[in-house]
């Protein structure tokens, strides 16, 4: 069993740099989180970007799609900022034979009470159990990526009726 | 969306009681872990036992099966000790129309580097994406419960060929 | 035994607000950290400000000094951002009969690997063991506040020779 | 600045071994906790034992006293189980020119809400600010080791009137 991971940044990877009193996107947390989870599957991590998802460009998304489309692995997991996750999901639509799952976090992985390990666990399960297509897993739901939005009032993802 | 949770104890719920220098199974951690994960689905938690899984009796398992079989919810999640998880899974086999997912942890949920939140996230995704049947999610894998064992040497779950 | 705590903000109290992808100073962490530490002394918490220490004004410092000078408690603990901690310490100098200890954190208290609980523990010990005066505790040292600076290269506090 | 650390085990160093469903004293946590606290002082760690403090023998304590008495460092920090901390403190009494501070934890250092980092911070401050003698720091207090007991009802340390 093998999962191919792509990271573009987002809150999940945010760390704090006291030297600049700044809070920036750091290196991918996914490897550390897999180690904590004692996972035994094979995986590769490809870092596409290290950005707040509001700063992601069409070129970033095109690069991601091109890399995913040519990936030999049929199970694709993308860690991503939450604000434009649905946008990136749309760009990834229509790649045949691949189950693509996007997730991220509302609190940085380094926080004691972050949702990152839970969300990543959901993504790892969904990528191996769902039919080919694009999915977003957040707030305990496996959403069809075409039928979900981030509600900015409640700061949670919800299905579009 | 609704998930019915049953807890029987195990490492995931182990807490430390300094007064007795003892390390015992405490109240279910699942509610706290869902809160951290900012989940938005409905769930109910039913505590069947609070035991090391080596101490679970046939009667405990029969009680669990009876409760699950009559549960109106079709999505069932069981948190369980790892040593006899496969045994309990066998007892839960053959209940029609229900997706039953068992999970637990190799390190107590209260530990900084516990696998509990990741495993619970996997279980929540698997219960809503898998066909009716019984599954065990551990070490990053969604296993058919009839084809998995705990390898005591490596202390990980592995598929039976 | 009683300690009077004053909080002005700083990294120690920084939390993350995903809704704004912003990282802001939240409510004082000190109470939560004392609970984790199972402390049994009496304490009161007075929130003077909720700012990055670079944003603290002379008026904020004058207010703090006035409150401390008239505080009936002789043991004063101040949680503060690290960038201007020495400046505030100078403003607090010369208040007779009071042991005043300033501390903070290089990583937010909510981070798994924050220095906050350790630093706060140091401060609680120093305030009850040091002679009246003003002290800064950071990086494992109890510094005379008049003889310490933050080294921006190493991002650590060091004694001034 | 230099601190000499001696470890004898206790709850602070307890880790969980799922393979045996057992909960045992592991390697000293002190180094990991100092790293998290970003300490900049020199220290050496000497492991005397790895035991529940109820299992410590007179010989263990004699060995500890002999090592401490001949240590060139005047600042001595001992991490110890809480149940017999006062007993060991008595054995360490009367060593001239040394400030000896004992501490431990009511919850293992690896727990998210452990008191270990706070207690260790207290000990590091107390060892550099207190006059020569033997002290116990627990529950937010710096106790004269000759005037403190562990209250088994409240599971906290309290001064003996």
């Amino acid at each position: 069993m093998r999962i191919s991971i792509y990271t573009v940044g987002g809150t999940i990877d945010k760390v704090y740099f006291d030297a600049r009193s700044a809070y920036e996107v750091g290196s991918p947390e996914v490897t550390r989180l897999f180690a904590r989870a004692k996972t035994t599957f094979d995986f590769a991590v490809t870092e596409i970007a290290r950005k707040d998802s509001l700063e992601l460009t069409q070129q970033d998304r095109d690069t991601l799609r091109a890399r995913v489309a040519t990936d030999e692995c049929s199970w694709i997991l993308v860690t991503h900022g939450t604000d434009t996750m649905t946008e990136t999901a749309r760009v990834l639509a229509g790649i045949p034979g691949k189950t693509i799952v996007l997730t991220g976090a509302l609190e940085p992985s380094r926080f004691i009470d972050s949702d990152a390990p839970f969300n990543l666990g959901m993504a790892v399960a969904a990528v191996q159990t769902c039919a080919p297509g694009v999915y977003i897993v957040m707030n305990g739901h496996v959403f069809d990526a075409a039928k979900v939005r981030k509600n900015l009032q409640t700061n949670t993802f919800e299905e579009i009726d």
Side-chain angles (χ1 to χ4, degrees), chain A:
Chain A
M1 169 179 160
R2 188 164 201 286
I3 301 178
S4 189
I5 320 282
Y6 291 86
T7 70
V8 299
T11 295
I12 189 171
D13 287 337
K14 282 198 175 175
V15 291
Y16 184 71
F17 295 95
D18 180 77
R20 291 184 291 289
S21 287
Y23 192 56
E24 303 175 2
V25 177
S27 58
E29 285 287 297
V30 61
T31 306
R32 197 178 63 81
L33 291 168
F34 283 171
R36 274 174 56 189
K38 297 147 188 65
T39 57
T40 54
F41 55 77
D42 298 328
F43 67 97
V45 179
T46 305
E47 188 174 343
I48 298 291
R50 199 179 280 202
K51 297 183 177 182
D52 253 326
S53 71
L54 293 169
E55 299 162 4
L56 286 171
T57 63
Q58 184 58 40
Q59 191 184 327
D60 293 324
R61 295 190 166 93
D62 293 342
T63 304
L64 175 62
R65 185 192 165 95
R67 296 295 301 270
V68 169
T70 57
D71 195 315
E72 290 177 343
C73 189
S74 56
W75 292 350
I76 308 293
L77 195 164
V78 181
T79 63
H80 196 290
T82 58
D83 288 326
T84 67
M85 195 181 279
T86 54
E87 226 173 292
T88 300
R90 272 194 298 276
V91 173
L92 292 171
I95 301 176
K98 295 197 183 298
T99 302
I100 302 170
V101 179
L102 295 88
T103 194
L106 299 169
E107 285 203 59
S109 164
R110 293 304 185 97
F111 273 45
I112 287 168
D113 47 10
S114 173
D115 50 330
F118 185 95
N119 294 349
L120 200 60
M122 284 193 71
V124 164
V127 82
Q128 63 191 281
T129 57
C130 292
V134 186
Y135 306 85
I136 284 177
V137 299
M138 288 295 293
N139 300 112
H141 296 263
V142 178
F143 296 106
D144 172 341
K147 296 178 183 163
V148 61
R149 68 168 158 239
K150 184 180 180 187
N151 180 325
L152 297 177
Q153 275 61 49
T154 60
N155 200 36
T156 57
F157 283 74
E158 60 188 18
E159 205 168 341
I160 302 168
D161 309 325

